[in-house]
Amino acid sequence: MMDEGIDRVGQLVPQMPVAEARMCRLMLMLGATIDRELEAKLKPNKLNHSEFLTLMILYSRPDGSSTPGELCEFTTQGATNMTRIANALVKRALITRGSSKEDRRRVLIRITPAGRRFVQKMLPPMFPQVGAMFGGFSAGDMRQFDRLLRKLAANLDQLGEQRLP
Amino acid sequence: MMDEGIDRVGQLVPQMPVAEARMCRLMLMLGATIDRELEAKLKPNKLNHSEFLTLMILYSRPDGSSTPGELCEFTTQGATNMTRIANALVKRALITRGSSKEDRRRVLIRITPAGRRFVQKMLPPMFPQVGAMFGGFSAGDMRQFDRLLRKLAANLDQLGEQRLP
DNA sequence: GATTTATAATTCACCAGTGAAGTAAATTAG
DNA sequence: CTAATTTACTTCACTGGTGAATTATAAATC
């Protein structure tokens, strides 16, 4: 369906890299699909993707804490949105927000015990889906897939750097 | 960086399918990155992703026409948003909107000659980036990658169907 | 040591996308 | 043939996310 569309565009615009465009489109579609799937799983917990990611990063930290700036970097969110996310999670008492002693510009965000319990309760129901996504993938498939995705990631990193400096 | 985070969560929650979760996260990151890259390329043309996709689907149609409902399906957009998209593209005279004769509920959307010229002008500057994304991919890599992505897509389709009916 | 510059976070105004309700036409059922 | 149901799209109110301006603190420069 999508393939036909791209093929036809390729006929009309002959210099187009058809195979690459197709792959690119596939990645976009799959990314969006996984995103939807994830959001559906999160909805019952009244979390969205970026709130979930933020909480998971805090959870994964040995000391359970970070700063908005750092969380922005790791989640690739803007600072504006991180403020909203923190507000939402603080309101639900999953994290706390306090100001740093050494640098009073900095805000210290920390996951609460309730936040940790919440994560531990929320994660396991997601496991079957995550497993099913890769049903029928052999060990070799997994290795290949990982390799190719990271190769693509490296290329994209290069592309991204060119635009900024 | 992400890998360490997932590994650490895997230690805290032992039943977690770590490899699958990692792959899933990679797909989400890459999808988002490609999306950002695409949006950056579209910005100078004052188009966003969904408007671009809509226009490209019309462009790829032999008769250059479709209906909002069909475009919703192909772009996986809600009808609400398709109304906005059509408004935006009509305002720029890239498409026309008329009502169908056989079924007066239906709206007929058609790409204009100006719309076709616009697409032909806009596409070529994107080709180098699309090519660069897959720089260093051998023919075998491309085949493998395509195979694995479609396998994943098939699994996701199954997952999606379960939730709806 | 005062002033400039840089950094961290927040607030505000806006854009893109969604769900629920509304409108209008076509189809089905009684 | 009328009434109920379904289909196609639009409108409205809201959520999530972004860029530009703001505030507060720290670091650098003169």
Side-chain angles (χ1 to χ4, degrees):
Chain A
M1 226 299 313
M2 170 206 72
D3 291 306
E4 296 153 34
I6 292 190
D7 283 346
R8 193 163 141 73
V9 174
Q11 283 168 11
L12 298 178
V13 188
Q15 331 93 290
M16 181 166 87
V18 175
E20 287 83 354
R22 197 202 318 281
M23 217 75 101
C24 186
R25 185 50 52 193
L26 251 175
M27 284 294 300
L28 284 166
M29 283 176 47
L30 289 175
T33 303
I34 297 173
D35 211 303
R36 273 193 298 277
E37 213 67 37
L38 174 58
E39 295 268 16
K41 270 305 203 188
L42 293 177
K43 199 155 209 175
N45 302 108
K46 310 239 191 258
L47 279 187
N48 65 27
H49 190 165
S50 63
E51 291 161 358
F52 171 67
L53 237 185
T54 302
L55 197 57
M56 288 311 297
I57 289 171
L58 290 168
Y59 184 80
S60 78
R61 286 299 182 95
D63 58 353
S65 76
S66 184
T67 62
E70 210 179 14
L71 291 168
C72 283
E73 200 184 329
F74 296 161
T75 60
T76 59
Q77 292 291 315
T80 306
N81 199 32
M82 192 50 69
T83 298
R84 186 194 58 74
I85 292 168
N87 286 340
L89 297 180
V90 166
K91 184 142 61 175
R92 297 178 61 182
L94 301 175
I95 65 171
T96 57
R97 189 158 34 175
S99 56
S100 163
K101 301 258 159 154
E102 316 88 68
D103 184 342
R104 298 199 318 192
R105 290 170 303 183
R106 272 196 156 74
V107 168
L108 246 161
I109 287 179
R110 184 179 304 276
I111 190 170
T112 62
R116 287 193 184 276
R117 283 196 298 276
F118 180 78
V119 169
Q120 278 153 12
K121 199 152 203 172
M122 178 179 55
L123 284 187
M126 311 178 82
F127 297 162
Q129 243 98 333
V130 175
M133 275 180 53
F134 297 94
F137 277 63
S138 71
D141 283 346
M142 287 299 264
R143 247 184 308 109
Q144 281 290 304
F145 201 34
D146 189 74
R147 178 180 71 83
L148 293 165
L149 288 176
R150 287 177 197 273
K151 194 164 188 167
L152 178 57
N155 285 346
L156 282 166
D157 275 358
Q158 285 237 238
L159 271 186
E161 278 165 33
Q162 279 174 248
R163 193 169 48 266
L164 263 138
Chain B
M1 226 297 316
M2 170 207 71
D3 290 306
E4 296 153 33
I6 291 188
D7 283 347
R8 192 162 142 74
V9 174
Q11 283 167 12
L12 298 178
V13 188
Q15 331 94 291
M16 183 165 86
V18 175
E20 287 83 353
R22 198 202 317 281
M23 217 75 101
C24 187
R25 186 48 54 193
L26 252 175
M27 283 296 299
L28 284 166
M29 284 177 48
L30 289 174
T33 303
I34 296 173
D35 211 302
R36 274 194 298 276
E37 214 66 36
L38 175 58
E39 295 269 15
K41 270 304 204 189
L42 293 176
K43 200 156 208 174
N45 303 108
K46 310 236 191 261
L47 279 187
N48 65 27
H49 191 164
S50 62
E51 291 161 358
F52 171 67
L53 237 185
T54 302
L55 197 58
M56 288 311 298
I57 289 171
L58 289 168
Y59 184 80
S60 77
R61 287 297 181 97
D63 59 352
S65 75
S66 185
T67 63
E70 210 179 13
L71 291 169
C72 282
E73 199 184 330
F74 295 161
T75 60
T76 58
Q77 292 291 317
T80 306
N81 200 32
M82 192 49 68
T83 297
R84 186 194 58 74
I85 292 168
N87 286 340
L89 297 179
V90 165
K91 184 143 61 177
R92 296 178 61 183
L94 300 175
I95 65 170
T96 58
R97 191 159 31 175
S99 56
S100 163
K101 301 258 159 155
E102 316 87 68
D103 184 341
R104 298 198 318 190
R105 289 170 304 182
R106 271 196 157 75
V107 169
L108 246 162
I109 289 179
R110 185 179 304 275
I111 190 169
T112 63
R116 287 193 185 277
R117 283 195 298 276
F118 180 78
V119 168
Q120 278 154 12
K121 199 152 204 172
M122 178 180 54
L123 284 187
M126 312 178 82
F127 297 162
Q129 244 98 330
V130 175
M133 275 180 53
F134 296 95
F137 277 63
S138 70
D141 284 346
M142 286 298 264
R143 246 184 309 109
Q144 280 291 303
F145 201 33
D146 190 73
R147 178 180 71 83
L148 293 165
L149 288 175
R150 287 177 196 272
K151 194 164 189 168
L152 178 57
N155 284 347
L156 282 166
D157 275 357
Q158 285 237 238
L159 271 185
E161 278 166 33
Q162 281 174 246
R163 193 170 48 265
L164 264 138

